[in-house]
Amino acid sequence: MISFTKVSIVFCLVLFPGFLAVANPKTEKLQTHGWNLKNQKGNWKPMELVWEESSGAVAPEFRFGKQYKLVAGQKKVLLTRKVFRTNQQILNETKEIPSKVYESWMQKLSKTGIETFPFESPPSDTITGVSYNFVSFELGSTKSKFYYHLEERKDPSWKQKNSIINIIERMKP
């Protein structure tokens, strides 16, 4: 006995052969959750992602700082990671990132909605001993940036921003 679904598929394939071939996974434009990562010439669109976080003014044995910068140029993507603890630099590297890795990171970031945050100006009020940390993102005309204090990362309402920071912190060449 032939099911209705099988008959429908065969019918569509015979009468409308192009009907089921609408989505082509090997399209020229590389899209990640709505973002075109490459231009019409097949080059990467300019993108810059920066994350800076530091401990602020604490005892020297507890000081730390992190700066990650992911930059897409026309032909290559570079990740720079700088980390210091207790006033000693423990990591300072810049490496080229393979296309598939970059695409994977961008897909994860796009799912977080990183582009939905407004581009904030630096906070005008300063608190002695407290650092302002930030994440900034630019892809084409899309720009977003948010500032934060370390204490804010413990807030349950910070799930979206924490997931963005966690994705960036796990980036390794």
Side-chain angles (χ1 to χ4, degrees):
M1 198 173 210
I2 300 174
S3 72
F4 177 74
T5 306
K6 289 180 183 175
V7 170
S8 297
I9 291 172
V10 171
F11 180 76
C12 285
L13 287 173
V14 171
L15 291 180
F16 308 107
F19 183 72
L20 295 176
V22 173
N24 182 358
K26 295 183 179 181
T27 57
E28 289 297 316
K29 288 184 179 177
L30 178 64
Q31 289 196 329
T32 301
H33 192 73
W35 294 343
N36 282 332
L37 298 177
K38 290 194 172 185
N39 62 22
Q40 293 175 340
K41 294 180 181 179
N43 296 324
W44 294 117
K45 286 187 174 178
M47 190 286 307
E48 181 177 271
L49 174 69
V50 179
W51 170 55
E52 288 189 14
E53 186 174 276
S54 67
S55 59
V58 295
E61 63 268 18
F62 299 112
R63 286 188 189 144
F64 74 89
K66 301 174 188 176
Q67 182 191 55
Y68 283 35
K69 187 173 186 178
L70 182 66
V71 178
Q74 284 188 353
K75 299 288 184 190
K76 61 184 173 179
V77 179
L78 298 174
L79 174 65
T80 300
R81 300 185 309 153
K82 297 177 182 179
V83 178
F84 76 87
R85 293 194 201 301
T86 62
N87 291 333
Q88 285 190 323
Q89 192 162 34
I90 58 172
L91 181 64
N92 185 3
E93 68 177 10
T94 299
K95 295 198 176 178
E96 188 171 348
I97 303 302
S99 298
K100 293 290 183 196
V101 173
Y102 173 62
E103 293 163 17
S104 170
W105 291 344
M106 293 303 286
Q107 185 172 28
K108 289 175 187 174
L109 285 169
S110 69
K111 287 179 181 177
T112 67
I114 189 171
E115 77 284 357
T116 62
F117 294 101
F119 195 86
E120 295 178 3
S121 297
S124 57
D125 57 326
T126 58
I127 304 169
T128 304
V130 177
S131 65
Y132 282 103
N133 308 294
F134 72 89
V135 172
S136 71
F137 172 75
E138 293 185 39
L139 176 63
S141 61
T142 303
K143 294 181 180 184
S144 64
K145 186 174 193 173
F146 62 87
Y147 288 87
Y148 65 96
H149 299 292
L150 289 177
E151 301 81 41
E152 291 176 292
R153 290 194 63 188
K154 297 173 188 169
D155 187 333
S157 68
W158 254 67
K159 186 177 179 181
Q160 182 184 14
K161 290 179 180 177
N162 270 327
S163 72
I164 292 167
I165 294 167
N166 290 335
I167 289 167
I168 297 168
E169 193 167 25
R170 286 191 295 265
M171 290 179 175
K172 293 180 179 143

